[in-house]
Amino acid sequence: MTWTPHATVAVIVEDDRGRFLMVEEISSGRIVFNQPAGHVEEGEPILDAVRRETLEETGWQVEPRHFLGVYTYKAPANGVTYYRFCYYAEAVQRRSTELDDGIIAAHWLDLDEIRQLGSKLRSPLVLRCIEDYRNGRRYPLDVVVDTQT
């Protein structure tokens, strides 16, 4: 059996009121909340994946500003290991667009509202990434070398 980890991006977007852009979605038959996030497509520059996933899942055009880190998670539901490249991005403009299949809605939630979601968070990394951002974790975008750009 070949081990095939999944490369994903997750995007922290905070508005001027301290609320975070969150996605309400259906995963494995249950309603969960996550940052805008998804798989990096083959041949796709990672910052393009950040922009694309956020637009597809929320209707917001964003511009990446900082890299927060690589987070690993082995999902108990399917045994898949995910490598989550987490970024902070600024909201640029709301676009009128149809959201991806499985997406119920995009919401702006404050940190207390996100914490109260508890087991409705898609994974423990959702809150961990936000807390790392709130604690000042920030790296320049060029810390990730992407030869596809």
Side-chain angles (χ1 to χ4, degrees):
M1 182 173 180
T2 302
W3 181 59
T4 55
H6 293 236
T8 64
V9 293
V11 187
I12 306 291
V13 182
E14 184 180 23
D15 71 7
D16 58 0
R17 295 172 44 193
R19 299 175 307 167
F20 294 92
L21 185 57
M22 299 292 290
V23 174
E24 182 180 7
E25 62 186 342
I26 298 173
S27 176
S28 299
R30 48 184 286 255
I31 296 174
V32 295
F33 289 79
N34 196 6
Q35 285 95 17
H39 287 86
V40 179
E41 295 177 358
E42 184 175 352
E44 180 179 37
I46 198 161
L47 293 178
D48 287 354
V50 167
R51 294 178 188 99
R52 177 185 54 77
E53 284 292 347
T54 306
L55 182 61
E56 290 176 353
E57 293 192 351
T58 69
W60 278 92
Q61 178 184 347
V62 298
E63 189 54 39
R65 298 294 180 214
H66 301 285
F67 178 66
L68 300 182
V70 177
Y71 298 76
T72 59
Y73 179 69
K74 185 173 183 177
N78 60 14
V80 172
T81 299
Y82 295 90
Y83 285 85
R84 174 187 256 232
F85 292 78
C86 190
Y87 285 84
Y88 169 74
E90 291 179 357
V92 175
Q93 183 178 13
R94 176 79 169 101
R95 299 272 183 186
S96 177
T97 186
E98 187 175 321
L99 303 181
D100 273 356
D101 287 342
I103 303 296
I104 297 168
H107 304 280
W108 290 96
L109 303 175
D110 67 33
L111 187 54
D112 286 337
E113 291 171 316
I114 295 167
R115 285 185 176 131
Q116 290 172 12
L117 291 169
S119 64
K120 289 184 179 181
L121 295 177
R122 183 151 182 173
S123 83
L125 294 183
V126 175
L127 186 55
R128 171 72 190 269
C129 289
I130 293 172
E131 289 175 338
D132 285 351
Y133 164 76
R134 296 276 299 203
N135 288 328
R137 179 180 284 217
R138 311 244 194 323
Y139 300 100
L141 294 176
D142 65 1
V143 75
V144 175
V145 178
D146 188 344
T147 59
Q148 299 176 100
T149 57

